[in-house]
Amino acid sequence: MSNSAESTSQRPLRVAIVGAGPAGVYAADILTKSNEVKGGDLEVSIDLFEAYPAPYGLIRYGVAPDHPRIKGIVNALHKVLDRGDIRFLGNVTYGRDLTLHDFRAFYDAVIFSTGAIKDADLDIPGIDLEGSFGAADFVSWYDGHPDVPREWPLDAKEIAVIGNGNVALDVARMLVKHADELLVTEIPDNVYQGLKNSPVTDVHVFGRRGPAQVKFTPLELRELSHARDVDIVLYPEDFEFDEASDEAIRTNNQTKTMVNTMTNWLVEEHAESEQPSSRRLHLHFLHSPVEIYDDGGSGKVAGIKFERMQLDGTGNVKGTGEFIDYPVQAVYRAIGYHGSPLDELEYDAERGVIPNEGGRVLDAEGKPVPGIYATGWIKRGPVGLIGHTKGDALETIGFLLEDRLTLPPAENPDPQAIIDLLEERGIQYTTWEGWNRLNAHEAALGAAWSESAAAEGVVRERIKVVPREEMIEISRT
């Protein structure tokens, strides 16, 4: 082992980043491009750890496969990692394969970018009935997450999705879209078969506030209208606007665009009613969920009750005392994600984050823990888009650079030392070269499928490999 007092000015600063989604990759990229590194004042050596065998985190396992921005984001992340100055080590789980003590021994600083992958709770009666699901679990299934069951119960004809964010729209779109339209994505075969056999006819999306207060974005909203043989249904009584709504429409172009889009759909809806589609996507506003109920004690979802809300002048809502029942056989809550606790670190259970100040992780007394940092959703909570994630990383890296001369030095900063430890423990870690092999394999699966189905004219760029064991085997061959 090296002398623990060795000055980091005599060697590269060793930094571990735990989580290889956008937050982790951006943090690594920003550090390598910092003025201190570019100016030659600092040399860095970065290892990017990921619990899954493949990189990209939420972009691979948390976004609908037909999302129009996926390819661009993946390409950008790929370019960063393909440079060769950031080492990727996949299939390594923090708290199981490596502890905080391990990271302390081999790195001068550790940045946690583990994101948020669990559903926020919705505390209403009936939430635990059979047929009531968290959106995050469904997203993991249709994105081919290696650690979730291969099958998903898709036997409901009428479905409720609770939430008015992008995830709610993703879930609703995936449920109502005809499976054949998804063949051009990287959707796994088991997901395609499951969705193809779904008997769904109606998917209802419910928001608690009005059309001017939705949390989704214009791009996601417009994607709804691209689904073939799916009618979008809106309700005139939901289009109420108070003073705050009018102000938002006047002053916020995004809000104005979305309200105008939905209002136009509302007007056009009746003109198209003579040729109804086989499936319908309903958008409801001013509905607050009260109870999910079963049918005669069956234990299975039979419907959901909402209280009708009204805007109070500030953009918030209050109850009207009027209740509405909708017969549905499945309910998906998409009211937000929640971060998970990490071993040996403080955790704010209410917010689902690691307590921190600007990315400096805090201990139980609220003092910064030397050398430990956070970025992304585990730092700020599951809000914001990619741009916010970059800003997060910039702030965290700024503090790390500010602290660099006082960081507790690694006992053994040799980059080979962590590899030796992983091999000694029998951990089947994957590498960037391994990801390139898996990436090529998935592309080859798509090409083979496309060739066999040439007569149908469908081209599949890739087919995602789902089993973890298969991903590891391909990566490590």
Side-chain angles (χ1 to χ4, degrees):
M1 289 245 176
S2 303
N3 188 329
S4 62
E6 177 189 4
S7 170
T8 56
S9 64
Q10 299 170 18
R11 60 167 172 80
L13 184 75
R14 290 283 286 145
V15 178
I17 300 177
V18 182
V25 176
Y26 290 145
D29 188 40
I30 288 169
L31 180 55
T32 61
K33 293 177 178 176
S34 64
N35 291 332
E36 290 81 353
V37 173
K38 288 195 299 183
D41 296 332
L42 176 67
E43 189 178 352
V44 293
S45 171
I46 303 172
D47 286 343
L48 184 63
F49 290 87
E50 173 56 56
Y52 309 129
Y56 308 144
L58 200 65
I59 296 301
R60 182 172 169 93
Y61 293 122
V63 181
D66 62 343
H67 194 293
R69 287 184 183 152
I70 278 189
K71 193 177 296 183
I73 297 171
V74 167
N75 287 344
L77 299 179
H78 181 94
K79 287 179 181 177
V80 173
L81 295 181
D82 206 41
R83 293 194 313 244
D85 57 346
I86 300 163
R87 185 167 63 174
F88 172 75
L89 295 170
N91 199 42
V92 180
T93 300
Y94 172 77
R96 184 191 69 192
D97 300 326
L98 294 175
T99 65
L100 187 61
H101 176 78
D102 294 326
F103 280 108
R104 288 283 205 188
F106 298 104
Y107 299 93
D108 306 301
V110 186
I111 303 172
F112 288 92
S113 57
T114 51
I117 59 171
K118 293 187 176 180
D119 285 289
D121 291 332
L122 178 62
D123 187 16
I124 61 172
I127 196 67
D128 294 324
L129 287 173
E130 183 181 340
S132 172
F133 307 105
D137 293 332
F138 182 55
V139 172
S140 292
W141 174 74
Y142 68 57
D143 271 335
H145 192 296
D147 300 332
V148 302
R150 302 285 184 269
E151 305 305 319
W152 188 270
L154 289 164
D155 48 13
K157 289 187 176 181
E158 300 157 302
I159 301 171
V161 179
I162 303 171
N164 252 180
N166 287 336
V167 174
L169 292 195
D170 275 357
V171 166
R173 193 176 68 253
M174 289 294 292
L175 285 166
V176 79
K177 204 168 187 175
H178 291 278
D180 284 352
E181 287 193 76
L182 295 167
L183 283 173
V184 296
T185 74
E186 60 183 27
I187 186 172
D189 285 333
N190 67 298
V191 176
Y192 167 70
Q193 291 298 335
L195 292 173
K196 188 172 180 62
N197 295 327
S198 169
V200 66
T201 59
D202 294 84
V203 175
H204 299 262
V205 180
F206 294 94
R208 189 170 178 271
R209 298 199 288 170
Q213 287 80 41
V214 294
K215 296 297 184 183
F216 44 76
T217 51
L219 180 65
E220 278 70 22
L221 180 63
R222 285 194 296 269
E223 279 299 299
L224 296 183
S225 65
H226 296 163
R228 179 183 54 80
D229 190 33
V230 176
D231 286 338
I232 298 176
V233 184
L234 299 105
Y235 299 85
E237 63 269 24
D238 288 346
F239 281 75
E240 291 184 10
F241 301 97
D242 60 0
E243 294 89 339
S245 301
D246 291 336
E247 178 68 14
I249 294 168
R250 280 196 305 270
T251 59
N252 187 304
N253 284 333
Q254 179 166 299
T255 300
K256 180 180 179 180
T257 298
M258 289 190 292
V259 170
N260 285 345
T261 298
M262 290 185 285
T263 304
N264 288 338
W265 287 348
L266 185 62
V267 172
E268 294 167 0
E269 180 185 327
H270 300 286
E272 299 174 358
S273 60
E274 293 180 7
Q275 295 180 325
S277 299
S278 66
R279 292 179 175 180
R280 289 159 294 280
L281 177 58
H282 307 254
L283 298 180
H284 303 268
F285 303 99
L286 300 170
H287 282 66
S288 182
V290 174
E291 177 189 8
I292 302 170
Y293 54 87
D294 64 2
D295 186 8
S298 67
K300 297 180 179 181
V301 171
I304 183 168
K305 182 189 295 292
F306 289 90
E307 181 177 7
R308 184 79 188 169
M309 310 302 284
Q310 64 183 23
L311 293 162
D312 65 2
T314 70
N316 290 314
V317 291
K318 57 184 178 182
T320 65
E322 176 190 352
F323 296 89
I324 310 171
D325 285 336
Y326 292 88
V328 296
Q329 299 82 52
V331 175
Y332 291 76
R333 68 183 185 278
I335 57 172
Y337 286 100
H338 202 73
S340 304
L342 294 166
D343 286 0
E344 301 180 74
L345 298 176
E346 290 300 310
Y347 177 66
D348 182 338
E350 185 175 339
R351 295 181 58 220
V353 299
I354 301 172
N356 68 91
E357 284 184 357
R360 288 182 174 123
V361 171
L362 305 177
D363 63 17
E365 298 176 354
K367 297 177 181 178
V369 181
I372 307 297
Y373 302 86
T375 192
W377 281 4
I378 199 63
K379 169 189 174 184
R380 72 172 189 274
V383 292
L385 302 174
I386 292 295
H388 297 89
T389 302
K390 289 182 178 178
D392 253 353
L394 192 62
E395 180 184 52
T396 296
I397 294 302
F399 282 125
L400 187 156
L401 290 169
E402 189 177 302
D403 299 341
R404 69 185 186 278
L405 298 180
T406 59
L407 294 172
E411 297 172 23
N412 190 347
D414 182 354
Q416 181 60 34
I418 189 68
I419 300 298
D420 293 342
L421 180 65
L422 292 174
E423 292 181 347
E424 178 185 318
R425 292 181 177 175
I427 298 166
Q428 292 186 302
Y429 65 90
T430 59
T431 62
W432 182 247
E433 293 75 22
W435 161 246
N436 283 329
R437 283 192 287 272
L438 179 57
N439 189 28
H441 179 80
E442 291 185 342
L445 291 177
W449 191 97
S450 301
E451 185 177 346
S452 67
E456 299 176 27
V458 177
V459 176
R460 301 187 72 178
E461 287 191 16
R462 63 190 298 122
I463 299 176
K464 189 180 288 183
V465 173
V466 179
R468 181 182 283 262
E469 300 76 14
E470 187 178 347
M471 294 173 69
I472 294 169
E473 182 180 357
I474 295 166
S475 299
R476 290 174 58 90
T477 299

